[in-house]
């Protein structure tokens, strides 16, 4: 048997360098593609978060404005201004003489006021509003429709 020496085969240095360069280009392209996808995901998440915050703010403003004194909602510059209602009732007697200093109202539950007792509110900033329909009857906070609440006498 005769053994014939076979040619050794392999890769040349040029071929190896070419493969390394091509793999580098493919890797660079794929990382940029993945990076763009990640940037889109982050941007979408940020926008979704801002939308949720916006919905929360609008819902809260809506709830608070629903409890505003009729006629008190107005804008002042870039701000929304209103007077919140703490308690409500209906008045029993007609209010005559353009003054609401004293009148009878149907029973209602007022915060921080024990049931069955008279309550002193002087100096606490509470006011009574009667038949306010527009901002002219609310602002400035003065009679005839609005008066400071000094006390509630239970009948």
């Amino acid at each position: 048997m005769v053994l014939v020496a076979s040619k050794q085969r392999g890769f040349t240095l040029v071929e190896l360098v070419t493969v390394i360069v091509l793999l580098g280009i493919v890797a660079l392209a794929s990382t940029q593609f993945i990076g763009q996808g990640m940037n889109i995901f982050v941007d979408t998440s940020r926008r979704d978060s801002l939308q949720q915050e916006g919905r929360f703010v609008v819902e809260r403003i809506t709830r608070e404005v629903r409890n505003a004194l009729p006629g008190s909602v107005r804008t002042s510059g870039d701000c929304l201004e209103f007077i919140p209602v703490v308690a409500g009732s209906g008045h029993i007697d007609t209010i005559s003489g353009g003054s609401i200093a004293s009148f009878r109202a149907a029973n209602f539950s007022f915060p921080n006021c024990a049931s069955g007792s008279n309550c002193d509110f002087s100096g606490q900033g509470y006011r009574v509003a009667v038949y306010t329909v527009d901002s002219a009857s609310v602002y400035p906070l003065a009679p005839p429709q609005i008066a400071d609440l000094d006390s509630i006498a239970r009948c």
Side-chain angles (χ1 to χ4, degrees):
M1 213 188 256
V2 177
L3 291 173
V4 177
S6 65
K7 274 183 157 178
Q8 290 186 355
R9 295 192 175 192
F11 296 108
T12 64
L13 186 59
V14 172
E15 291 172 333
L16 287 175
V17 170
T18 304
V19 168
I20 291 172
V21 168
L22 289 175
L23 285 175
I25 292 171
V26 169
L28 182 64
S30 64
T31 57
Q32 285 183 349
F33 179 73
I34 292 172
Q36 287 176 349
M38 189 62 133
N39 288 340
I40 290 171
F41 172 76
V42 168
D43 187 48
T44 304
S45 297
R46 184 182 56 83
R47 287 179 188 214
D48 184 51
S49 175
L50 287 173
Q51 279 183 331
Q52 287 178 356
E53 288 178 23
R55 282 189 208 111
F56 174 76
V57 168
V58 168
E59 181 63 28
R60 181 160 181 198
I61 289 172
T62 302
R63 287 181 184 191
E64 288 188 14
V65 169
R66 280 187 199 139
N67 292 328
L69 179 67
S72 71
V73 179
R74 67 179 181 177
T75 57
S76 176
D78 290 338
C79 297
L80 180 67
E81 181 179 6
F82 62 92
I83 299 172
V85 173
V86 177
S89 179
H91 51 91
I92 298 172
D93 298 332
T94 58
I95 299 170
S96 60
S99 174
I100 60 171
S102 177
F103 67 95
R104 290 185 342 150
N107 288 337
F108 61 94
S109 175
F110 200 91
N112 303 326
C113 185
S115 178
S117 65
N118 295 340
C119 301
D120 182 22
F121 294 109
S122 56
Q124 294 184 23
Y126 289 117
R127 293 187 173 93
V128 173
V130 177
Y131 196 64
T132 58
V133 291
D134 57 9
S135 62
S137 62
V138 175
Y139 300 104
L141 299 174
Q145 281 89 5
I146 296 181
D148 290 330
L149 178 62
D150 294 326
S151 66
I152 293 177
R154 304 270 183 186
C155 297

